[in-house]
Amino acid sequence: MDAPVNALLAPWTGEHGLPPFPQFRPSDFAPAYAKAMHEHREELAAIAAQAPAPDFANTIAAFDRAGQRLADIDAVFDALAASATSPELQAVQRDLAAPLAAHWNAVYQDGRLFERVDALHRQRAVLGLTGAQQRLLERLHLAFVRAGAQLPPSQRERFAQIQERLA
């Protein structure tokens, strides 16, 4: 007998691409998040490992596009948790808080990825970026800095531990 399909991981074919909310079960979220976080980290690792020098397209725009499945799942979960919560969804929320914090710590403390973003940030005045591109670069760089990317490794690790505990 086949296992039921996790509707969070199947293509959403509703009108206007809307998610099929009635098909989602609280038990779908943990495995969907795990898969989406894994995919996101793979996408970001590919960006960080590129041989070409960083530019807006291959680093900032690519970072911005990465993790679409994770963003979709997160939007669905946030909508359900805010408008149709249940004890089961609240349990999922508690269970996923630390893994999600760990994921975002790993993303924003990735040294190779930050090197690419930081190199572009240092050159931002001469890159010929549009206002929107400049804003995206500034916000992304700030997110890395606020997540501890510029801290020494031991302090980054401690910062990550605190973030995960607080989650």
Side-chain angles (χ1 to χ4, degrees), residues 94-116:
R94 284 188 300 275
D95 292 344
L96 288 174
L100 282 167
H103 172 76
W104 291 111
N105 282 332
V107 167
Y108 287 112
Q109 290 186 7
D110 183 315
R112 295 181 313 156
L113 199 51
F114 180 65
E115 285 175 16
R116 295 181 71 86

Side-chain angles (χ1 to χ4, degrees), residues 8 12 19-21 24 29 33 71-82:
L8 287 162
W12 297 346
F21 282 97
F24 301 141
F29 284 97
Y33 266 113
D72 290 346
I73 292 168
D74 210 33
V76 164
F77 187 77
D78 288 348
L80 288 174

Side-chain angles (χ1 to χ4, degrees), residues 53-61 115-131 133-138 141:
D55 61 31
F56 186 86
N58 73 14
T59 302
I60 306 305
E115 285 175 16
R116 295 181 71 86
V117 172
D118 194 46
L120 292 168
H121 187 260
R122 287 191 310 269
Q123 301 170 17
R124 66 191 179 278
V126 297
L127 293 175
L129 301 175
T130 67
Q133 290 171 327
Q134 289 174 12
R135 178 75 172 150
L136 181 57
L137 174 56
E138 291 284 338
H141 186 266

Side-chain angles (χ1 to χ4, degrees), residues 2-165:
D2 291 333
V5 173
N6 186 329
L8 287 162
L9 298 173
W12 297 346
T13 57
E15 188 175 352
H16 306 293
L18 291 173
F21 282 97
Q23 294 177 20
F24 301 141
R25 299 178 314 265
S27 61
D28 291 340
F29 284 97
Y33 266 113
K35 181 172 179 53
M37 287 187 288
H38 178 75
E39 289 173 355
H40 189 216
R41 292 296 306 282
E42 285 183 342
E43 291 170 323
L44 297 177
I47 294 167
Q50 294 178 83
D55 61 31
F56 186 86
N58 73 14
T59 302
I60 306 305
F63 183 96
D64 193 48
R65 285 189 309 271
Q68 188 57 55
R69 185 191 306 257
L70 180 58
D72 290 346
I73 292 168
D74 210 33
V76 164
F77 187 77
D78 288 348
L80 288 174
S83 64
T85 196
S86 66
E88 294 83 9
L89 278 176
Q90 290 170 348
V92 170
Q93 202 168 22
R94 284 188 300 275
D95 292 344
L96 288 174
L100 282 167
H103 172 76
W104 291 111
N105 282 332
V107 167
Y108 287 112
Q109 290 186 7
D110 183 315
R112 295 181 313 156
L113 199 51
F114 180 65
E115 285 175 16
R116 295 181 71 86
V117 172
D118 194 46
L120 292 168
H121 187 260
R122 287 191 310 269
Q123 301 170 17
R124 66 191 179 278
V126 297
L127 293 175
L129 301 175
T130 67
Q133 290 171 327
Q134 289 174 12
R135 178 75 172 150
L136 181 57
L137 174 56
E138 291 284 338
R139 297 300 302 169
L140 184 57
H141 186 266
L142 183 61
F144 272 92
V145 170
R146 286 183 174 167
Q150 292 180 317
L151 294 172
S154 64
Q155 290 179 359
R156 269 197 316 264
E157 184 177 323
R158 178 72 179 131
F159 180 86
Q161 290 171 348
I162 291 168
Q163 290 289 91
E164 289 170 40
R165 183 160 182 225

